Every structure is written in structure tokens, then in C-alpha cells.
Amino acid sequence: MLRTINPTTRRWFSVLSSLKNTAASEPVKEPVTAKAEPLSEAREAYLERAVRVDQAGELGADYIYAGQYFVLANKYPHLKSVLQHMWDQEVHHHNTFNRWQTENRVRPSLITPLWKLGAFTMGAGTAAISSEAAMACTEAVETVIGGHYNQQLRCLANQYDLKWTDGTNGPTKEIKSLTETIRQFRDDELEHLNTAIEHDSRKAVPYILLTEGIKGICRVAIWTAERI
């Protein structure tokens, strides 16, 4: 016995077939990706200076802690783990900004060898005076670096609220990443500052002369690394 097809069913097949053909013939629309406005030359120049000076600063911090560890680790065993922890964080900071510098093709400071020599000498020299003097050095350096990072964070928040093609405002993914990196490193530096105070930095002799002198050297180094 032959099976008959209901005319209504045949019409449904016909409708579905036409829908499939229509769907296949329509082009697939690609999602529109919003784009940020181009950075001005001034904004690009600031980002380049920021990466260069931060790389130089973290290189300096790396070598300061290397000098301190070299002198103090065996002489004061109770400080060994404290110094190692802070030094490990500075190595991480240094490596991170090395990567930022390479990926963004930022010219390094032209006097990088001087930063290495000067920083190691500062760390080892203050450690040779006393453990308190080494901690006073750490307090001074981290005070300046913490303030420097805060200044950069304010600038990134205020000057990089970019306009996007979808009508929104905000920073790019790269600027967000740089901001988060600087914020985390700022917090690490302030942790080091507190650690130095907890380990008698303010008992160093002469405290004021040491800390104010080192702060002055750090400010000059920051200004120079941004430009040379």
C-alpha cells in the first residue's frame, strides 16, 4: 500500500526548504570591534618615558638589594630571608619592565651601566655601615619610588580616558595592564618601606643625612633616566 503525503505537510517542507536557502544565501556579518582614538604624540612620549624610567628604577632596586644581600646575609642571618624576599620581588619587577621595554621597543636609558654600578655601591655601602643604615637606604629609596609610581598612576587615570568608536570612554587594554602592573609594584615598594622601618631603619646614624641624601640621588636618577 502506497503512503500518501498530506498536502499540508508538503507545504511545510516547501517553507522550510525556502528558509534554508534564504539563510544560506545571506552573508554572515562580522562583529564590529570598537577602536580607541589614536594616541597623541605627547601621550605616546609619556608612555615611552614611563617604561624607560621604571625599567631603570627597577634595575637600580635590583642591584641595591643585591649589594645589601652580599654584605648582610651572612653577617646578620636573621635578615637573610627578609632581604631575599624583597630582592626576589625587585628581580620580578625588573624582569617585567625589561619585557615591557622589549615588546614596546622603548629605548633603554643610555647610562644603564652607571645605574648598575651606582645602585650596587649604594646597597653594599650602606650595608657596610650597619644593618640599620641599609634599612634607612631602603626606606629612602622606596619612599621616592612609591611617590613616583603614585604620580604615574594619577597621570594614567587622568590623561588616558580615551574616546572609543562605540561612544564609550576608557583606556586601552595595554594601558590597563600597565596601570595594574604599576599599582601592584607600588604596593610592593611600600611593603618594603614598612619592612625597613620595622627593622630599625630610623635607628641608623646619621639617619637624616642618609635618608635625605639618598632621596635626592633617587630624584636626580629618575629625572635623568626619563631623558637620557
Side-chain angles (χ1 to χ4, degrees):
M1 177 178 177
L2 295 175
R3 183 182 178 184
T4 60
I5 299 177
N6 187 302
T8 305
T9 305
R10 184 180 293 113
R11 283 199 299 273
W12 273 108
F13 285 158
S14 178
V15 170
L16 290 174
S17 177
S18 65
L19 287 175
K20 289 179 182 179
N21 292 335
T22 302
S25 63
E26 290 180 354
V28 177
K29 294 182 179 180
E30 294 292 334
V32 178
T33 303
K35 295 182 180 180
E37 63 177 304
L39 293 178
S40 65
E41 289 186 8
R43 282 169 166 166
E44 287 185 349
Y46 179 82
L47 291 176
E48 183 173 329
R49 289 198 306 272
V51 171
R52 178 164 52 250
V53 71
D54 290 352
Q55 188 275 343
E58 295 299 351
L59 178 151
D62 182 357
Y63 277 76
I64 286 172
Y65 283 105
Q68 290 181 346
Y69 190 88
F70 178 76
V71 174
L72 295 177
N74 293 324
K75 190 175 181 180
Y76 298 97
H78 69 288
L79 293 177
K80 189 171 183 178
S81 61
V82 174
L83 294 168
Q84 186 68 65
H85 172 70
M86 294 191 292
W87 187 14
D88 287 344
Q89 287 186 319
E90 297 298 352
V91 169
H92 169 63
H93 297 179
H94 183 193
N95 289 339
T96 300
F97 273 109
N98 279 346
R99 186 174 66 253
W100 270 91
Q101 190 177 69
T102 300
E103 290 176 354
N104 293 280
R105 299 180 181 179
V106 175
R107 174 184 61 78
S109 173
L110 298 178
I111 49 178
T112 294
L114 182 60
W115 302 139
K116 294 179 180 179
L117 177 62
F120 187 89
T121 301
M122 180 184 290
T126 53
I129 296 172
S130 66
S131 62
E132 292 84 2
M135 292 298 170
C137 173
T138 296
E139 179 187 344
V141 169
E142 303 297 22
T143 297
V144 174
I145 297 302
H148 169 71
Y149 276 152
N150 277 332
Q151 185 179 21
Q152 286 187 337
L153 290 170
R154 284 192 292 271
C155 184
L156 290 170
N158 295 331
Q159 301 300 321
Y160 292 85
D161 190 30
L162 305 175
K163 296 178 180 178
W164 290 70
T165 53
D166 62 357
T168 61
N169 285 60
T172 63
K173 180 176 67 175
E174 292 77 14
I175 293 171
K176 284 181 181 178
S177 179
L178 178 61
T179 300
E180 291 168 3
T181 298
I182 291 175
R183 184 177 292 113
Q184 179 57 58
F185 290 1
R186 185 274 315 273
D187 292 346
D188 291 344
E189 308 299 0
L190 296 181
E191 176 193 315
H192 299 172
L193 190 158
N194 291 331
T195 298
I197 294 173
E198 290 170 1
H199 288 82
D200 300 328
S201 64
R202 295 181 178 176
K203 292 182 181 179
V205 179
Y207 172 75
I208 297 297
L209 183 62
L210 274 171
T211 53
E212 292 306 313
I214 292 170
K215 286 178 186 178
I217 292 170
C218 290
R219 293 186 184 106
V220 171
I222 288 172
W223 187 92
T224 305
E226 285 181 329
R227 293 162 177 80
I228 299 178

